[in-house]
Amino acid sequence: MTSRELADLMQKSSVDCHKALVKEYGRYVYAIVYNKLRCCGTNEDIEECVSDVFADVFMKCEFDISSENDIKYLIATIAKRKAIDSFRKLTVTVSHTIEIDEDDMKELISDFSVDEHVNRSELRRILLDKIDELGDPDSSILIQKFYYNRSSKEIAQNLSMTAGTVRQRCARAMDKLRTKLVEIGITF
């Protein structure tokens, strides 16, 4: 979609223009935002960021009637910047000073195994790294299926695939992941 086409649509009906823009670039923006926020954000965070991207496009961008340039790159830039801003907001760590008396500390220590926690954290990190190595769309399919508990149909809609293709790719990705984990000595 070019700036000229958008400007023409905007002159006829701003609602139609907005609908056309979301229809044309909605999945593209979602994919950009999802890739930036999948490790730290919820579905609501991702959807809110996508909405913010389109809000910025609608409110802040003037479409040059004489331009024949595709606005895909402009939208991608806005999406990346919004996603990075959201990522920063979601991953900010705030340090607080908390006073704990000795009895409370003993209770905490008895309920918490540092070794177990470290082992689980390390395993999660390795697993996510190996999933990332699979590349898209395999990594996206596995993350959405096993971390966000989405159905094959929902994943298919997000990735513009059929549910059968998603199931097939998921099975193959799981086989590749098992192989990668066995190579580093992790078996299930």
Side-chain angles (χ1 to χ4, degrees):
M1 190 170 273
T2 66
S3 292
R4 177 177 289 173
E5 291 169 339
L6 277 176
D8 290 343
L9 271 174
M10 188 67 98
Q11 287 177 349
K12 292 177 186 172
S13 166
S14 62
V15 173
D16 290 341
C17 178
H18 295 174
K19 285 180 183 178
L21 199 60
V22 171
K23 184 177 181 182
E24 179 85 18
Y25 296 107
R27 289 183 178 176
Y28 180 64
V29 170
Y30 185 89
I32 292 169
V33 171
Y34 175 79
N35 283 328
K36 298 280 185 205
L37 300 181
R38 67 181 173 191
C39 63
C40 65
T42 64
N43 289 339
E44 290 81 20
D45 295 327
I46 292 169
E47 290 170 5
E48 182 179 340
C49 186
V50 169
S51 296
D52 290 345
V53 169
F54 283 108
D56 272 7
V57 170
F58 297 143
M59 288 194 253
K60 294 182 181 174
C61 293
E62 293 290 326
F63 303 112
D64 183 9
I65 295 175
S66 64
S67 177
E68 289 295 331
N69 294 332
D70 190 353
I71 63 158
K72 182 176 186 177
Y73 304 110
L74 171 68
I75 291 174
T77 302
I78 293 171
K80 287 175 188 172
R81 290 179 181 169
K82 277 289 182 192
I84 289 169
D85 288 345
S86 294
F87 179 84
R88 288 180 181 145
K89 289 176 188 171
L90 291 169
T91 58
V92 168
T93 56
V94 180
S95 60
H96 296 284
T97 305
I98 301 173
E99 292 185 27
I100 301 175
D101 66 359
E102 201 169 314
D103 293 334
D104 290 338
M105 186 57 102
K106 286 178 185 174
E107 196 175 302
L108 280 174
I109 291 171
S110 67
D111 291 342
F112 184 74
S113 170
V114 174
D115 291 339
E116 186 179 315
H117 178 71
V118 169
N119 288 340
R120 277 188 280 139
S121 295
E122 182 65 16
L123 184 59
R124 277 192 205 116
R125 187 192 59 75
I126 291 170
L127 186 59
L128 286 172
D129 286 346
K130 293 301 174 186
I131 289 172
D132 229 17
E133 286 178 16
L134 295 175
D136 277 335
D138 293 344
S139 62
S140 295
I141 290 170
L142 291 180
I143 295 290
Q144 288 185 52
K145 183 150 191 84
F146 296 108
Y147 280 87
Y148 293 111
N149 230 6
R150 290 190 178 149
S151 68
S152 296
K153 184 179 177 183
E154 292 171 319
I155 297 169
Q157 289 173 344
N158 289 338
L159 298 177
S160 301
M161 296 179 172
T162 64
T165 303
V166 168
R167 285 189 290 275
Q168 206 172 38
R169 290 201 73 123
C170 184
R172 289 180 187 157
M174 287 298 293
D175 289 339
K176 289 179 194 176
L177 182 60
R178 275 188 207 98
T179 303
K180 287 182 175 290
L181 292 173
V182 167
E183 288 173 358
I184 61 170
I186 298 175
T187 57
F188 295 95

